Amino acid sequence: MPALGPEYNSPYKTREEVHQKGPSTKWFWVFWIVLIGLGTTAAYLYSNQLKEQVVIQLQEDTRKEMASFKAEYDQKFNELVQEIDEMQSKVQSFNELLTFTKDQASGKTDNSNKLYSQLNEVEKQLKALERKMELLK
């Protein structure tokens, strides 16, 4: 029977050899855990940065859209105000003409009837424009 000694080559490792490999394996796992943690943290920070950039871009785009809508609204509103002013001046001139015609008419009611119908038509258009203006407000 051979004696057990330092020259004996066994397929099994001694306790000292196992403990010597233990710390290197432990450091390997610690390194990978730290690396995974750093990667996760970096991904989280990067996604937050991207989210902030998207929010800023959306706010800027929204401001631009709102400014264009406001400019368009102001333009349409001003056009309607001008149209209403024109209609009111037409109504006023028709009223003056109608009053003059009434004063001048003796037996001719045909012209005054035409003026009344034109005046009614202009008033209808004026009311329609006022409704449009109310909708814009």
Side-chain angles (χ1 to χ4, degrees):
M1 189 157 163
L4 294 177
E7 64 274 346
Y8 181 71
N9 290 334
S10 151
Y12 302 108
K13 297 183 179 169
T14 62
R15 286 187 184 187
E16 291 82 23
E17 290 174 344
V18 170
H19 285 301
Q20 287 175 355
K21 284 202 171 190
S24 65
T25 305
K26 181 169 62 171
W27 286 113
F28 174 78
W29 287 112
V30 167
F31 170 75
W32 276 108
I33 290 172
V34 168
L35 191 63
I36 290 170
L38 288 174
T40 304
T41 303
Y44 176 75
L45 293 175
Y46 182 67
S47 67
N48 280 345
Q49 180 185 4
L50 285 179
K51 185 173 28 172
E52 287 177 13
Q53 287 177 350
V54 167
V55 167
I56 289 170
Q57 185 66 35
L58 283 174
Q59 287 174 344
E60 185 178 317
D61 291 346
T62 303
R63 263 189 248 117
K64 287 179 183 177
E65 290 257 345
M66 293 300 288
S68 69
F69 285 145
K70 185 180 183 316
E72 185 179 328
Y73 169 80
D74 288 342
Q75 179 185 3
K76 286 183 180 181
F77 185 77
N78 290 334
E79 288 173 3
L80 281 176
V81 166
Q82 287 176 351
E83 287 181 29
I84 287 175
D85 288 343
E86 290 173 8
M87 289 295 226
Q88 284 178 342
S89 68
K90 285 181 182 180
V91 167
Q92 183 65 29
S93 66
F94 277 134
N95 278 337
E96 291 172 2
L97 184 60
L98 185 59
T99 304
F100 176 75
T101 307
K102 275 180 151 182
D103 292 342
Q104 298 297 323
S106 55
K108 297 181 181 178
T109 58
D110 191 26
N111 284 339
S112 64
N113 286 339
K114 285 181 184 178
L115 288 174
Y116 273 120
S117 62
Q118 287 177 351
L119 180 62
N120 286 335
E121 182 181 326
V122 169
E123 285 178 328
K124 287 178 186 176
Q125 290 176 355
L126 180 62
K127 287 179 183 178
L129 280 174
E130 285 177 347
R131 278 187 246 134
K132 285 182 182 178
M133 194 164 127
E134 290 295 324
L135 288 176
L136 281 177
K137 286 182 181 178

